[in-house]
Amino acid sequence: MTDTRAYEMTIEIALSPEAVWHAIVEPAELTRWFASQAEIVPGRGGKWMISWDGNWPRTNEIEIWEPNRHLRLIDRTARPFDAKGDAIVATAAPMPIAIDWYLEGNGGSTTLRLVHSGFGRGGAWDDEFEGVSVGWPLELNGLKHYLEHHRGEARRVAWTRSVIAVPLGALWTRFVGPDGIVRDPSVLSQRPGDRYATSLATGDRIEGRVVGIIPGRGFQVTVDGWNNGLYRPWIDRVGHESAVNSWLSTYGLPDSVADGFNERMRAEFDRLASAAISA
């Protein structure tokens, strides 16, 4: 048995397998819920290429192409990436990493099962494996939200990220609370589907429904006042440092809404970084 690790997740989406399939294999659809750039050469032996504003570029070969049923992507020469998006070259041999998307229809809805496998067990792979374990729930919740509420609408993203030279636990205690990014952390004790209302350091008061909670790391919520947008603040481990993230997906709103929020959040991240480093 190969000594590797795999992340697996299943999610129910209230649309047909055809709709879900198109969302994961069409470039325009991928940019409405996942990466900011996408290019697809369809069919077995084709390519599935994504990046986030030029960061974390991924090129995968399409090994299995069974429309509406099964897509397998594989990178046969993958090396681990840290949470900054930098490849760790010297400390780990390349390994084949696969992403399997299994779709099963169920009375007009779809059960989507994702398996991301092949990660090594050495420490060099820890950041990337932990990153996908946190990231896939956020991304697949985003897919579900897009398809069920904003299908076919263009997305505008407000994304802010800052790497701070403090351990994860120390950053978390500054991330939430009266002086943090999340001023009212009561949302972290709620369950998916619950109504919430909370304040952010930017001065924005947001409310909607809880989509997911990542204990000690962040949360994901809808935002009523931003046309049922989707917001997720969270933190990542970057070796002995940490990265704080803010990601807002809006649909059907002027660019100024996302741009203004991003500017306010960037200023708060700078404040948080200065306070954390000087402490």
Side-chain angles (χ1 to χ4, degrees):
M1 180 180 294
T2 303
D3 189 23
T4 60
R5 291 176 281 183
Y7 175 79
E8 182 172 342
M9 176 181 172
T10 299
I11 191 168
E12 299 291 329
I13 299 174
L15 278 113
S16 68
E18 290 84 357
V20 178
W21 175 262
H22 288 306
I24 63 178
V25 302
E26 293 185 0
E29 285 287 274
L30 280 165
T31 63
R32 291 169 180 157
W33 68 272
F34 192 30
S36 55
Q37 291 91 29
E39 183 178 349
I40 309 296
V41 179
R44 188 173 184 272
K47 300 293 182 184
W48 193 88
M49 296 162 281
I50 57 171
S51 70
W52 287 260
D53 295 340
N55 300 295
W56 299 281
R58 296 289 193 272
T59 297
N60 295 275
E61 177 188 343
I62 299 173
E63 187 175 72
I64 297 176
W65 178 275
E66 298 178 1
N68 312 322
R69 294 181 55 200
H70 184 195
L71 175 70
R72 170 176 284 180
L73 310 172
I74 190 162
D75 182 350
R76 301 182 191 281
T77 60
R79 292 183 184 273
F81 279 70
D82 65 19
K84 294 180 182 178
D86 298 325
I88 303 172
V89 176
T91 57
M95 299 179 67
I97 300 292
I99 306 175
D100 285 280
W101 310 72
Y102 299 97
L103 290 71
E104 183 177 346
N106 182 19
S109 65
T110 300
T111 300
L112 172 63
R113 181 167 66 95
L114 178 136
V115 182
H116 200 164
S117 61
F119 297 98
R121 292 191 178 275
W125 289 92
D126 286 348
D127 275 359
E128 185 167 5
F129 184 72
E130 183 177 286
V132 301
S133 299
V134 171
W136 275 125
L138 298 173
E139 300 294 358
L140 294 188
N141 285 337
L143 169 62
K144 176 181 173 71
H145 183 76
Y146 162 66
L147 285 175
E148 293 183 354
H149 299 284
H150 296 288
R151 186 182 178 194
E153 297 181 46
R155 179 181 65 162
R156 182 71 172 86
V157 170
W159 176 30
T160 305
R161 177 181 175 87
S162 180
V163 177
I164 302 175
V166 296
L168 194 69
L171 181 59
W172 178 252
T173 61
R174 294 178 171 87
F175 186 73
V176 298
D179 297 320
I181 299 298
V182 182
R183 294 294 172 86
D184 177 8
S186 63
V187 64
L188 299 170
S189 64
Q190 295 184 262
R191 296 177 298 178
D194 287 350
R195 292 288 306 179
Y196 82 94
T198 193
S199 297
L200 304 176
T202 56
D204 296 284
R205 180 74 175 172
I206 60 174
E207 61 182 272
R209 292 198 179 275
V210 174
V211 175
I213 301 294
I214 309 171
R217 304 294 287 274
F219 60 88
Q220 189 173 28
V221 294
T222 65
V223 184
D224 293 347
W226 287 330
N227 192 30
N228 195 25
L230 196 62
Y231 181 56
R232 63 191 207 209
W234 81 100
I235 58 176
D236 288 327
R237 183 171 61 84
V238 190
H240 299 294
E241 299 178 323
S242 306
V244 59
N245 305 267
S246 172
W247 181 286
L248 170 66
S249 293
T250 66
Y251 299 88
L253 295 178
D255 288 353
S256 59
V257 174
D259 291 343
F261 179 72
N262 215 33
E263 184 176 344
R264 295 191 297 276
M265 188 58 73
R266 189 175 295 113
E268 289 302 319
F269 276 18
D270 290 344
R271 178 188 63 81
L272 181 69
S274 296
I277 293 171
S278 62

